[in-house]
Amino acid sequence: MRAGYDKRWGRRGALALALLVLLTLLVACAGWLYLRASLPQLDGSRQAAGLAGVVTVQRDARGVPLLTAADRSDLAYATGFVHAQDRFFQMDLMRRSGAGELAELFGAKALPLDRAHRLHRFRARAEALLARVAADDRRFLDRYVAGINDGLRGLRARPFEYALTGTTPRPWQAADSLLVAYAMYFDLQGMQENRELARGWVAGHSDEAQLAFLLPPSSVFDAPLDAEAVEAPPAPIPAAAPAWWGMPAALPAVPQLASAPAAESDFVDAVGSNNWAVAGARSSNRRAILSNDMHLNLQLPATWYRVAMRYRDASGQPRQLAGLTLPGAPPVLTVGSNGHVAWGYTNAYGDFIDLIEVTGGALPVTHHRETILVKGAAAAVIDVRDTAMGPLREADGRTFAVHWIAHHPAALNLRHRELESVDTVERALAVAATIGLPAQNFVAGDAQGHIGWTITGPLPRRTASASATGTAAAAGAAVAGSRDASFPLTLGGAVPTWDGVLDAADYPTVIDPAGGQISTANNRQLAGPQARLIGDGGFDLGARNRQARDALRALGDATDVAGVYGVTLDDRAVFIDRWRRRALALLDADAVKDKPQRAQFARLLRESWNGRASVDSAGYRLARGFMWALYEQAYGGANQALERIGPRIDMHAASSRWPAVMERLLDAQPAGWLPRSYPSWRAFQLAAIDRISAQLTSEGAPLATATWGRRNTADIAHPISMAVPILKRWLAAPADQLPGDANMPRVAGSKFGQSERLTVSPGKEEEGVFNMPGGPSGHPLSPFFMSDHPDWVAGRPGPLLPGPAIHTLRFEPIASR
């Protein structure tokens, strides 16, 4: 009887297991079918209201679309359709980031970011801007919006991300496209608040001579457009250091020095973009050659969406555009070529935000009640206190008005589409100076061989006397040559804030310089007096642009697209080699005696080194680590104090030029600046070597295994994987080890780097080259989800233009009745 009982339960158990397996399969099948249903339509025919004629969308084997129409507004509709079908969730995140509405998707964990962004009330500003937009521009934007909403409705199921978050996509509105552009203001200028707070802390804890030395307006690495170098003499080293200098942190304050590669944060490397142009006089085809790689946080899908467009302009002339669009933003070619002129961008890093300390009732305040919807919780209500100088925020126990150019009515407009029809560099620069977007270095080249640079985006108009440094006004003389209001200001104080935007006619420009080349890489652009028109909002150190400039010079007078593109991949360790040579000089016989770890460190600096930021180089990682260990020993205590003010507020934010300051100190070795924990400057430097050695071997691995590739490993994933981590393996790029680093043209970090690489000669787009991380689609089941990625990892130049069509989608106008 017992045996029969066991058999019955055994059969029931087997049946239950079979049912469980079947149910799992059915759920998996249902999930797969749902995912399939949310894939975009690639072939067939659709009817659409409002079209002037037939529009076709042809895709090649990589999914790159070629849009063809007789009318530019029809292309705006088609662009909206493909953007929505391939990238709607990405677009939704961008508009919600700009508006401070992410908590509606992700719940309370997104509230801190929403609170910070809602302070600026960009949705209200976008609606106000729409009321001022010219009728033709509004029609153009409305056609894009119609395409987006038709594309979203055209999916057989809502995008998969909404199923995972249990939410429903919200239809697109015209204001949402402006919010995407406002979101880029956060990405490209928002960090300047942290910089001002960091510099304000330094000013409050240093005297004027120390401040001038620690926060210089230029360095030996600068390679401006109007001079070989910035010739201003550096401030002298003061006799004594400030009290905070060299104070140790209680705990490691900078994640770069952690032993585990995953803990070595990229954020200090997150300064970037490169663009350069070579004049026709130096190119083999006598046309200019333009190259642009914009550096941003890396995720799937990529920031940019590549397209080619064909249409006829208002005069009936055929036009072809090839390059990049930003999904969700107004549907213009952001970067690329119109057949006559090619253009690209790097972030300008001018001084665009002033923090103005407000006490008592110094400014009249208007209160705005802002409601933030929160998924799974009650709505949060915040009181935004606005003033004529901007909204008020608290920091470091004080109240500041955030006076930001992004709040000005000129911050955004739709003039960017005028670039699509310019025929000369001169005209392109004139248009660029009128465009409303986060200020960028605009570099262009034309088919006649001319090249030029200017700033595009609004520049604050400041008085000529604004040459001192905010709360550190007394240091003004020491920083002569740099118009700098990048410290917290006092209302009515000695340093005035900006009071409007600069006229386009007054923008600085460079056209056809004698050397036949122009390059920018977030560095100080100018050495002369026009530098004051831009200001310094956190320029890069300058080593990257200097290396690019010199590499472009080495190309000679008959270069081509391949040669100019090659500079994009330059991973020579010119900057870090300075620190390697310094470490090797330090590690003499006395230093390594009875110190096997130091001896190995020296051996690896010599033998595991090929002069590049190579994935298999331990020497590169050790030399870089030596530099950052010195930073921690000198600035660790200050960084810990700054962390109490807010996240990502540190001495690197105060000045990217700290390596140049450190080099001056190590060369001069002044007694008044030797950190008190060390008996000599030699001991200070050897301690840094011991520090990085200990951290890289803390888990028992030999020092030789600490290669650069083990630290610089790609961690590029779809943002939904943060909400649903179990899916990351299907929503992430391979964990490739990446060559390159900061302070060289090939900028690469685990989550930050070259978001695209584009090189083209206008009128010869068929010879242009391109690659980017990921692919056109944001859908993991699409064959185009990762179609560009292998070329991007390897640095292989793929074609800029789409290849032969393998899919064709046709849009026909709905016949009027």
Side-chain angles (χ1 to χ4, degrees), residues 92-138:
D92 194 9
L93 292 185
M94 288 285 284
R95 67 173 167 179
R96 289 177 181 275
S97 176
E101 297 171 351
L102 288 165
E104 189 176 359
L105 279 182
F106 299 111
K109 61 187 174 184
L111 261 178
L113 183 61
D114 277 359
R115 290 180 188 274
H117 285 193
R118 188 66 68 91
L119 178 73
H120 302 278
R121 302 183 65 247
F122 280 140
R123 181 168 288 283
R125 297 180 194 279
E127 296 288 357
L129 175 58
L130 281 177
R132 302 190 302 269
V133 166
D136 183 60
D137 286 339
R138 181 59 192 264

Side-chain angles (χ1 to χ4, degrees), residues 118-121 124-125 364-371 380-388 390-392:
R118 188 66 68 91
L119 178 73
H120 302 278
R121 302 183 65 247
R125 297 180 194 279
V365 174
T366 301
H367 293 265
H368 299 279
R369 179 185 173 91
E370 291 285 325
T371 301
V381 178
I382 64 172
D383 176 31
V384 175
R385 299 167 296 159
D386 208 358
T387 74
L392 301 181

Side-chain angles (χ1 to χ4, degrees), residues 59-72:
R59 295 183 188 254
D60 67 2
R62 294 193 180 194
V64 180
L66 167 62
L67 314 181
T68 305
D71 180 85
R72 183 64 180 89

Side-chain angles (χ1 to χ4, degrees), residues 265-626:
S265 169
D266 286 335
F267 89 81
V268 298
D269 304 337
V271 173
S273 291
N274 301 320
N275 65 352
W276 37 79
V278 174
R282 290 184 50 200
S283 76
S284 57
N285 64 13
R286 316 316 289 172
R287 298 170 183 262
I289 303 172
L290 176 116
S291 189
N292 189 203
D293 55 286
M294 295 177 283
H295 309 162
L296 295 167
N297 292 322
L298 301 178
Q299 60 183 25
L300 299 176
T303 300
W304 309 107
Y305 190 92
R306 177 166 46 139
V307 297
M309 301 182 188
R310 292 176 181 166
Y311 68 104
R312 290 188 179 274
D313 63 19
S315 64
Q317 295 299 310
R319 287 281 183 178
Q320 175 171 293
L321 308 175
L324 304 175
T325 58
L326 177 61
V332 296
L333 196 70
T334 305
V335 164
S337 175
N338 68 11
H340 301 276
V341 178
W343 65 90
Y345 296 131
T346 64
N347 199 19
Y349 283 94
D351 186 6
F352 305 126
I353 295 179
D354 288 347
L355 292 184
I356 303 172
E357 186 172 4
V358 178
T359 57
L363 286 175
V365 174
T366 301
H367 293 265
H368 299 279
R369 179 185 173 91
E370 291 285 325
T371 301
I372 303 175
L373 300 180
V374 183
K375 178 188 171 187
V381 178
I382 64 172
D383 176 31
V384 175
R385 299 167 296 159
D386 208 358
T387 74
M389 291 294 180
L392 301 181
R393 64 161 292 184
E394 309 297 323
D396 199 22
R398 295 182 286 172
T399 300
F400 296 98
V402 183
H403 196 37
W404 187 7
I405 198 69
H407 301 151
H408 194 277
L412 293 179
N413 60 42
L414 297 183
R415 291 177 184 155
H416 196 289
R417 67 181 178 129
E418 295 178 29
L419 289 174
E420 297 179 353
S421 59
V422 297
D423 293 338
T424 66
V425 157
E426 186 176 11
R427 178 59 186 154
L429 266 59
V431 169
T434 70
I435 294 172
L437 48 69
Q440 303 288 295
N441 292 300
F442 179 87
V443 172
D446 65 26
Q448 290 76 42
H450 302 292
I451 59 176
W453 163 89
T454 190
I455 297 293
T456 187
L459 290 175
R461 182 181 63 226
R462 299 180 185 271
T463 63
S465 63
S467 60
T469 54
T471 55
V479 295
S482 173
R483 189 258 327 164
D484 190 348
S486 59
F487 291 72
L489 308 178
T490 301
L491 197 63
V495 181
T497 187
W498 58 273
D499 62 351
V501 297
L502 194 69
D503 290 339
D506 296 328
Y507 274 45
T509 61
V510 173
I511 297 179
D512 290 336
Q517 67 180 55
I518 288 172
S519 65
T520 74
N522 313 113
N523 54 294
R524 177 171 170 168
Q525 304 95 334
L526 301 171
Q530 283 194 311
R532 294 176 181 272
L533 300 176
I534 304 168
D536 182 352
F539 290 136
D540 185 53
L541 174 65
R544 173 160 48 94
N545 184 60
R546 175 172 286 272
Q547 184 169 329
R549 182 200 65 181
D550 294 347
L552 289 167
R553 286 176 175 174
L555 294 175
D557 291 336
T559 190
D560 56 14
V561 165
V564 176
Y565 169 78
V567 179
T568 300
L569 303 179
D570 182 2
D571 59 2
R572 290 175 299 132
V574 176
F575 172 72
I576 289 297
D577 189 44
R578 301 165 69 99
W579 298 94
R580 169 181 168 270
R581 288 183 278 111
R582 187 179 294 276
L584 281 172
L586 192 66
L587 291 169
D588 56 20
D590 288 340
V592 303
K593 183 179 180 181
D594 299 324
K595 300 283 187 179
Q597 192 82 298
R598 289 183 185 174
Q600 186 183 27
F601 196 104
R603 181 179 62 79
L604 291 171
L605 287 177
R606 295 188 184 93
E607 298 176 6
S608 186
W609 174 266
N610 63 359
R612 297 180 178 274
S614 301
V615 297
D616 58 353
S617 174
Y620 180 84
R621 188 175 181 184
L622 296 183
R624 184 186 193 274
F626 169 57

Side-chain angles (χ1 to χ4, degrees), residues 647-786:
R648 296 194 175 185
I649 300 177
D650 60 15
M651 292 300 297
H652 184 84
S655 176
S656 65
R657 299 183 179 106
W658 70 264
V661 171
M662 182 66 71
E663 284 191 339
R664 290 186 65 196
L665 288 173
L666 295 179
D667 290 341
Q669 298 193 2
W673 286 76
L674 175 65
R676 65 194 65 177
S677 301
Y678 305 95
S680 67
W681 281 100
R682 176 179 171 85
F684 172 72
Q685 295 176 80
L686 287 172
I689 289 175
D690 293 341
R691 181 189 187 94
I692 189 63
S693 296
Q695 289 170 340
L696 293 176
T697 58
S698 62
E699 296 181 356
L703 197 60
T705 64
T707 61
W708 178 237
R710 289 191 65 187
R711 186 270 186 192
N712 210 42
T713 300
D715 184 12
I716 305 170
H718 193 294
I720 201 67
S721 64
M722 292 186 289
V724 191
I726 195 173
L727 297 179
K728 186 172 182 178
R729 60 176 297 188
W730 294 283
L731 295 172
D736 296 296
Q737 295 187 355
L738 303 174
D741 190 15
N743 295 309
M744 60 184 60
R746 190 170 189 168
V747 170
S750 62
K751 296 182 180 181
F752 183 89
Q754 295 170 317
S755 65
E756 51 78 31
R757 305 184 187 108
L758 182 154
T759 306
V760 65
S761 191
K764 293 289 185 179
E765 287 73 25
E766 70 279 2
E767 299 174 5
V769 298
F770 180 83
N771 55 57
M772 73 176 187
S777 176
H779 199 299
L781 291 188
S782 169
F784 312 135
F785 183 54
M786 296 287 288

